[in-house]
Amino acid sequence: MSVAEFAAAQYTRAVGAGLDPHEYRRVTDGLTSLSGWGPAFTETGHAYLRRARKAATSVSAGGYLLMAARWFHVATLAPYPEAHRAAAEADHALGRALAALEPGARRVSGEGFTGWLRGPADALGTVVVVPGLDSAKEEFLDLSSALLARGLAVFAMDGPGQGVLASSTAFRPDYERIVSRVVDELGVARVGLVGLSLGGFFAARTAALEARVAAVATVSGPFRLDWGQLPPPVREIMAQRAGGERAARDFAREVDLGSLASRIAAPLLVVDGGRDVIPGVTNTEPLARLAPYGTYLSVPHGDHLLGNARSDWLAPLADHFVHVLGGGEASR
């Protein structure tokens, strides 16, 4: 794939993550090969760090640091030998941003996870945001903002093989064990859970097996995966994150919600994009249909992660958690 094709394929994802579309085009238009992607995006992140150092107010500095975190994360989406450093810089920039903007934000870490807890002490409930194959907590800051704006607390996390933990841990299908540790550490009686891309599988599986999940949503999540149907770039990333091709094949074989969907007792919202081209996530309607309290939201023009259709799903998804965690569905 040429760098121009890759940039076009990643455009709505990058914009959905919060990058300025004009700046994204300026940076990617200057690339002559895909090998320059990581360095160019990392340098743009450093430019935002320099702006933060010169900022006149903590609000401005925090805004620049949040943008730096986004650019460092998107640097990791193309093959990049220094991806682990970029992920660490994204993590560090996010921490500095929250220190400047939200002094009450709290770093919470445990075996197999790390992330930030944000929101009021008297929140309606707590929602855990689960990333996917090559995403990280820094990619879904706008989703966190939508949940926070509705009075919810948010724990945006990296789990095994994800984000800042990608270089030191590997994917595991039994993600419910990780979420159980998260809930224990947060000290809450129940949580909402939203998973994006492969995180949708993690979230749905966890909702079937962890009784403290009171509300769940998936965005572009797979119902099942077939290793042979996955595009080569997806197989390569999965092999990197799982610990080799054999481990990745075994992991993909475990991605199957057929026997678990009926066990999801929590109200479930399934969001799909009609233009999602990744086999396995093009139609998750069976998950919504088989779950006892499933609702299906299909956006015909939405692509993978629906970065091109945010107005069609972001508010309904956030409202889903307000409705359920606020008490409207608590008796189910």
Side-chain angles (χ1 to χ4, degrees):
M1 180 181 291
S2 71
V3 65
E5 291 170 329
F6 187 82
Q10 299 297 326
Y11 174 76
T12 62
R13 180 176 177 183
V15 173
L19 300 193
D20 179 88
H22 305 289
E23 188 169 25
Y24 177 85
R25 288 196 174 103
R26 286 198 300 273
V27 171
T28 57
D29 285 350
L31 299 177
T32 58
S33 71
L34 202 52
S35 64
W37 180 281
F41 277 73
T42 298
E43 174 50 38
T44 306
H46 286 149
Y48 276 100
L49 294 184
R50 292 191 289 271
R51 292 187 182 103
R53 286 195 293 269
K54 296 177 181 178
T57 66
S58 60
V59 173
S60 295
Y64 288 136
L65 288 164
L66 284 178
M67 194 57 68
R70 292 175 169 110
W71 281 92
F72 287 135
H73 166 63
V74 178
T76 69
L77 299 187
Y80 183 32
E82 298 298 314
H84 63 292
R85 296 185 185 276
E89 290 196 88
D91 179 74
H92 185 56
L94 176 59
R96 290 178 58 199
L98 294 178
L101 298 173
E102 300 176 31
R106 178 164 63 98
R107 183 83 182 217
V108 180
S109 300
E111 184 182 351
F113 72 90
T114 190
W116 286 93
L117 178 64
R118 304 164 61 190
D122 59 349
L124 292 173
T126 301
V127 179
V128 178
V129 179
V130 178
L133 180 67
D134 59 352
S135 53
K137 61 188 181 300
E138 293 81 18
E139 184 166 341
F140 305 117
L141 295 175
D142 286 355
L143 170 58
S144 293
S145 294
L147 295 165
L148 290 165
R150 288 161 171 79
L152 294 160
V154 176
F155 182 66
M157 65 176 287
D158 292 330
Q162 298 171 321
V164 72
L165 301 181
S167 63
S168 58
T169 59
F171 277 156
R172 51 186 296 174
D174 58 343
Y175 205 95
E176 70 278 0
R177 296 179 180 272
I178 304 300
V179 175
S180 294
R181 293 173 194 156
V182 168
V183 180
D184 289 342
E185 194 66 30
L186 295 180
V188 294
R190 60 189 194 130
V191 296
L193 195 59
V194 54
L196 300 106
S197 191
L198 184 62
F201 163 72
F202 292 141
R205 177 184 167 101
T206 299
L209 300 172
E210 167 55 74
R212 291 174 292 178
V213 175
V216 61
T218 70
V219 180
S220 297
F223 183 72
R224 63 171 55 92
L225 290 178
D226 183 324
W227 177 262
Q229 291 184 4
L230 292 175
V234 174
R235 292 202 299 263
E236 290 169 10
I237 296 168
M238 192 173 290
Q240 292 168 4
R241 299 299 177 98
E245 183 176 329
R246 177 175 293 181
R249 286 177 178 270
D250 292 341
F251 173 83
R253 195 175 300 114
E254 296 288 335
V255 180
D256 188 341
L257 296 169
S259 63
L260 291 173
S262 63
R263 298 175 61 181
I264 300 175
L268 164 69
L269 175 64
V270 175
V271 180
D272 262 348
R275 294 187 179 178
D276 194 329
V277 297
I278 300 179
V281 297
T282 54
N283 180 10
T284 320
E285 183 275 334
L287 174 60
R289 174 166 41 82
L290 293 171
Y293 304 108
T295 302
Y296 186 56
L297 174 58
S298 178
V299 181
H301 55 281
D303 56 14
H304 189 65
L305 289 174
L306 296 96
N308 66 333
R310 293 163 62 76
S311 61
D312 293 288
W313 66 271
L314 185 55
L317 182 144
D319 290 344
H320 167 73
F321 287 102
V322 171
H323 178 58
V324 179
L325 298 180
E329 299 290 328
S331 62
R332 283 188 174 177

